[in-house]
Amino acid sequence: MPNLLTRRLALLTEDANRALLGGLRGIERETLRVDPAGHLASTPHPAALGSALTHPEITTDYAEALLEFITPAESDIAVTLDKLDTVHRHAYSRLGDELLWSQSMPCQLPPEADIEIANYGSSNMGMLKHVYRRGLALRYGKAMQCIAGIHYNYSLDEQLWQVLASNPETSASPTQATASPKDVQSASYLATIRNFRRYSWLLMYLFGASPALSAGFLRGRAHKLDTLSDDTLFLPYATSLRMSDLGYQNDAQSGLRPHENSLDDYVNALTHAVNDPYPPYETLGTKKDGEWIQLSTNVLQIENEYYSTIRPKRVIRTGERPIQALCLRGVQYIEVRCMDVDPFEPVGISLETGRFLDAFLLFCALDDSAPISAEQSACYTHNFARTVKEGRTPGLTLHRDGEEISLQAWGEQLLARIAPVAALLDSRHGGTAHADSLAAQAAKLADPDTTPSAKVLAELRANGGSFAAFGLRQSERHAAYFRAHPASKEQSAYFDAMAASSLAEQRAMEAAPAGSFDDFVAAYRASTLCSHT
């Protein structure tokens, strides 16, 4: 009998079902504002861009200078990227002489005390966001929080899961036929996430673009990096130091492994993490000299603090916590968080990459996905960690089913399995864009020198070896591109109106009657309690 992937592809090839391959795509792009010399901008978030607290498309992440552009969710990644391009064009018209940093790893950062944490005003919600970031500074240091990435939000048509579950040949399990639509969809997205865990090392090889970093970023931490120049450290075969233990890492979270075998397990793990004290944080307390320094002394202050390469998500309602939304209404989409900013692309990601991600994620959604054991989870973590630090090493092997297999051979096998998925998407959209994106990735497997990480190192070596100089050069190129093609009057008017509306909304929040911040935090923390039904 054909395997589950083949049976599902056959069902979705039928004209009546091909429309179910729609869904939505959204992108969140983080980028540091820097001055013309390539140093972290010390200016406040530009008022012309609106309120970072309430603007739906332009906000800040950790630092006051760390911009985050959020696109609306669109049915075609090409439209999503066009919207992202427009946000960049408009932003550049309001940035003065500042630039948007072109890399995932930060520019040359000032001393910790001089990195300004994002400010969201005086409302209780604005202060909660700010104090949360104070806690991040306390727990992880400010430099780590200045790392930027691309988050890829992905969903499929909600009817797709029902069509697959109602057909005995394409259902993931016999119990799905009688489960509620919400539970079927949640279980299906978690199955997608488990397959992502199995194969996400491939994304790091193909798209990792941070093999080097500024020497000052490590702030004196021990490391085993090589020296490329006076101001730059690197690993010769690394793909993404951003995703290694030198980037996002934390001892408190080292034992946090939310189980993605069921939504109940996942929610329970995060609920414990935001409610269970962590002794080193207890020693610090939540206040110092009467000032809040972190929201709680628990493993996580809030669930968003969990550093994960992928998350199950649900759009939250006003006053709702992410855990509550998942509990009450199930998984709505997934957020891929491991993608580096592509320093050769003005918006940080190419359309070709988006097409491949769509094929890769649909493959993860349609392929069989058994529960993951603790031993298997450790194996997948090993493969990912090895790829981010050594991915282009000649003859590199990974663990698969108790055996060693070369990264290249396994990658080629995966691309062969994804190929019919790409063909199905092309039959849905017309053209050959998805198949073409697979061919481009196959070329990277055949020649590691064509990967983004290798290209970054080649550029560094050809121009003195300075990561800071390379980052500034690319930032200037991107700035010239956007400034030469400014947003239209209509587009600028749209963003200016949104900025004005967001500022008015923040002022209204700050003027509204409110209780004490202490009571607000207590109520917010208590709201994590919920039961999955």
Side-chain angles (χ1 to χ4, degrees):
M1 186 178 184
N3 63 33
L4 183 63
L5 175 64
T6 302
R7 299 197 302 272
R8 286 178 162 182
L9 286 170
L11 181 69
L12 294 173
T13 300
E14 299 172 7
D15 289 341
N17 295 323
R18 199 173 293 153
L20 299 175
L21 298 172
L24 297 172
R25 314 286 180 268
I27 288 179
E28 301 161 32
R29 190 261 163 107
E30 300 161 344
T31 176
L32 288 169
R33 288 186 293 112
V34 300
D35 66 21
H39 300 136
L40 189 70
S42 59
T43 51
H45 181 68
L49 295 181
S51 164
L53 177 64
T54 56
H55 198 297
E57 296 185 34
I58 302 175
T59 183
T60 52
D61 196 297
Y62 169 75
E64 184 72 357
L66 183 55
L67 283 171
E68 182 174 8
F69 298 148
I70 305 169
T71 72
E74 303 289 348
S75 58
D76 188 336
I77 185 57
V79 178
T80 304
L81 288 175
D82 185 60
K83 295 285 182 72
L84 184 61
D85 181 82
T86 301
V87 177
H88 281 75
R89 293 176 194 275
H90 172 74
Y92 260 108
S93 71
R94 303 293 186 267
L95 284 178
D97 64 354
E98 291 180 350
L99 306 170
L100 301 179
W101 189 243
S102 59
Q103 314 290 311
S104 272
M105 298 308 289
C107 61
Q108 297 181 73
L109 296 173
E112 292 270 306
D114 295 334
I115 299 175
E116 291 294 330
I117 298 171
N119 183 3
Y120 299 96
S122 60
S123 70
N124 279 338
M125 181 55 72
M127 282 303 301
L128 184 131
K129 290 170 70 73
H130 179 74
V131 172
Y132 165 60
R133 284 156 176 77
R134 288 183 187 172
L136 296 178
L138 192 69
R139 294 171 175 218
Y140 317 119
K142 293 182 175 180
M144 190 179 99
Q145 298 299 318
C146 290
I147 297 173
I150 296 282
H151 296 172
Y152 198 86
N153 297 313
Y154 176 88
S155 72
L156 287 163
D157 191 306
E158 294 192 357
Q159 292 302 310
L160 171 70
W161 310 115
Q162 298 307 309
V163 169
L164 296 179
S166 63
N167 187 317
E169 291 192 351
T170 57
S171 178
S173 70
T175 60
Q176 280 203 342
T178 57
S180 70
K182 180 192 75 172
D183 289 343
V184 168
Q185 180 168 307
S186 293
S188 299
Y189 276 123
L190 286 169
T192 304
I193 288 173
R194 292 195 298 273
N195 274 337
F196 182 91
R197 297 281 188 209
R198 294 177 171 100
Y199 307 128
S200 55
W201 58 264
L202 179 62
L203 299 181
M204 294 296 90
Y205 175 85
L206 296 174
F207 304 111
S210 53
L213 47 80
S214 288
F217 168 77
L218 294 178
R219 303 296 209 231
R221 283 166 52 194
H223 65 84
K224 295 183 179 179
L225 301 181
D226 296 341
T227 298
L228 188 62
S229 67
D230 290 345
D231 67 355
T232 301
L233 301 173
F234 82 116
L235 284 178
Y237 298 111
T239 63
S240 178
L241 294 179
R242 164 181 170 259
M243 294 307 301
S244 76
D245 56 358
L246 294 171
Y248 283 108
Q249 55 81 41
N250 167 247
D251 291 339
Q253 291 192 30
S254 62
L256 179 59
R257 293 285 182 270
H259 301 287
E260 288 147 347
N261 291 332
S262 77
L263 183 57
D264 281 339
D265 288 345
Y266 181 84
V267 166
N268 288 339
L270 282 189
T271 300
H272 278 295
V274 297
N275 287 290
D276 292 350
Y278 183 63
Y281 298 159
E282 285 187 296
T283 301
L284 297 170
T286 57
K287 291 183 178 181
K288 183 177 181 180
D289 300 327
E291 287 286 322
W292 281 86
I293 57 173
Q294 56 180 343
L295 290 176
S296 78
T297 58
N298 300 330
V299 175
L300 302 179
Q301 299 175 87
I302 61 175
E303 49 270 49
N304 285 351
E305 190 177 336
Y306 172 50
Y307 295 127
S308 178
T309 57
I310 187 169
R311 288 177 180 167
K313 297 291 289 283
R314 159 71 61 178
V315 174
I316 61 174
R317 296 171 179 169
T318 302
E320 189 176 47
R321 296 282 297 268
I323 288 178
Q324 291 175 307
L326 289 175
C327 281
L328 298 172
R329 299 188 303 285
V331 185
Q332 184 179 18
Y333 65 98
I334 53 178
E335 179 191 32
V336 174
R337 299 167 52 81
C338 61
M339 298 295 290
D340 281 353
V341 173
D342 185 339
F344 302 106
E345 291 291 328
V347 299
I349 180 174
S350 70
L351 178 58
E352 179 181 88
T353 298
R355 297 294 188 201
F356 179 80
L357 283 173
D358 282 353
F360 177 84
L361 292 170
L362 183 57
F363 163 74
C364 289
L366 298 180
D367 198 26
D368 194 18
S369 183
I372 294 175
S373 68
E375 182 181 13
Q376 289 170 326
S377 179
C379 175
Y380 304 151
T381 299
H382 164 85
N383 288 341
F384 189 91
R386 194 162 195 190
T387 303
V388 298
K389 280 192 171 182
E390 309 171 54
R392 288 177 289 103
T393 303
L396 181 72
T397 60
L398 303 176
H399 295 334
R400 186 179 72 176
D401 299 330
E403 298 180 348
E404 294 289 311
I405 181 173
S406 77
L407 180 150
Q408 181 181 8
W410 194 0
E412 290 170 348
Q413 292 171 17
L414 277 175
L415 291 187
R417 297 186 66 205
I418 297 170
V421 179
L424 178 63
L425 288 172
D426 283 336
S427 73
R428 164 82 163 79
H429 294 280
T432 60
H434 297 88
D436 293 345
S437 72
L438 254 68
Q441 310 321 313
K444 296 178 189 175
L445 283 169
D447 182 4
D449 288 344
T450 61
T451 59
S453 55
K455 289 181 177 179
V456 167
L457 286 181
E459 284 269 351
L460 286 171
R461 289 186 171 115
N463 293 277
S466 171
F467 171 78
F470 169 68
L472 179 57
R473 189 163 60 249
Q474 291 302 111
S475 301
E476 290 170 339
R477 288 174 178 169
H478 298 165
Y481 166 77
F482 287 121
R483 285 171 173 154
H485 304 88
S488 68
K489 289 183 179 179
E490 293 77 14
Q491 290 167 336
S492 287
Y494 166 82
F495 282 106
D496 285 342
M498 201 182 303
S501 175
S502 70
L503 290 167
E505 184 178 354
Q506 179 177 332
R507 287 194 295 270
M509 291 173 66
E510 293 173 348
S516 73
F517 183 65
D518 288 19
D519 290 342
F520 184 80
V521 173
Y524 189 85
R525 287 172 53 188
S527 69
T528 62
L529 302 175
C530 65
S531 59
H532 174 55
T533 57

